[in-house]
Amino acid sequence: MLKRFGLWALVVVASFGSTLRADEQTGRPFVVVVGIDKYQDPQIKPRKHAEADAKALYDLFLSKDHLGVERDHAKLLLGSAKEGAEQATRANILAALHWLEKSAKKDDLVIFAIFAHGAPLGERSCYFAVDSTFKNRAKDAIASGDIEQIIDKLPSQRFVAMVDVNFMGFDPGKEKAPDPNTQNFYREFLSAGDEPKDPQPSRVLFLAGSATKPSLDLETVSYTHLTLPFGRYSDVRAIERRLTAS
C-alpha cells in the first residue's frame, strides 16, 4: 500500500504516531487529505495515482496501528465522487481548511496533505480544485493567499503540510506560460505577512519533489524522495521534538 506518496508520509506516521499515543497531554490529531486525478478543465493535465495515494494516506492515518485518527477528525476530498469522500471542489477544500481552523486546539496535531496540480499566480501560486480552470484561476482556483489566511488563524502549534503538487501541470494553450517564482512557493504553510520569514513555531513542510515537475512515479518509496525546505528540520528526531514540545 505504501507506494509512490513518499517517505514523508512514513516519517510523520512513524515519528509522531507513537508519541501521540504515549503522551496523555498531547492533543488529538486532525487530518485533511486532498487528491485529484482528473480536472473538469481540459487545460489542466490529469494526474496518475493522486486519488489512490490520497486514499491510501488517509487510511494510513486512520489505522489504529499507526496514527489512529478518529474518523470524525479526518476529511478525505477526491476529484471523483467516491463513497466516503467529499468531492475536491474549491468550496469544499476551503471549507475543510476552515474546519481545521475552527476545530483544532493549541495542542492538537493538524495535518494537511494534497496531491494535485497548481500554477503560478502573480508572484505567488495557486492550487487547482477539480472545478478550477487555468484561464480563470485567479477566481476559481485556491490562491496561496487564501490558504495563508486560514493557516495563520489556526490555533494549533503543531502543523504539518504534505505537498505533492506540480505547479506547471497545465497546458497554457495559445497563452504564454506564466513564469513560476519558486522563492514564494509554500510560504502559505510556513510564515505570515508579506515578507519571507522563518517558519512559525512547530510548522513543518514535507515536499514530494520539485515544484515545477511531476513527482516520481515509482512502485516503492526511497529516501531520495524526502525534501525538507529548511536544513534544521532535516533530522527526524528534531522534527518530533519540535512538534511535541508543549
Side-chain angles (χ1 to χ4, degrees), residues 41-109:
D41 180 9
Q43 279 191 266
I44 305 175
K45 297 177 181 179
R47 281 194 54 151
K48 290 182 179 180
H49 314 304
E51 295 183 23
D53 287 350
K55 180 62 165 60
L57 185 60
Y58 174 83
D59 290 342
L60 189 71
F61 285 145
L62 265 61
S63 170
K64 298 299 182 183
D65 295 330
H66 295 98
L67 200 55
V69 181
E70 299 173 32
R71 192 168 294 275
D72 61 350
H73 286 181
K75 290 183 181 292
L76 175 64
L77 297 94
L78 301 177
S80 56
K82 295 181 179 179
E83 185 177 355
E86 300 179 41
Q87 191 171 31
T89 62
R90 180 180 187 273
N92 285 346
I93 295 173
L94 288 174
L97 288 167
H98 280 296
W99 170 76
L100 290 175
E101 173 203 338
K102 297 181 183 302
S103 301
K105 308 302 182 187
K106 177 182 176 181
D107 295 324
D108 292 335
L109 172 64

Side-chain angles (χ1 to χ4, degrees), residues 29-45:
F30 287 82
V31 171
V32 169
V33 182
V34 180
I36 304 173
D37 283 349
K38 187 176 181 180
Y39 294 84
Q40 296 173 7
D41 180 9
Q43 279 191 266
I44 305 175
K45 297 177 181 179

Side-chain angles (χ1 to χ4, degrees), residues 9 45 95-96 119 126 133 163 181 186 211 221:
K45 297 177 181 179
C126 65
T133 61
V163 182
N181 186 352
Y186 311 118
V221 298

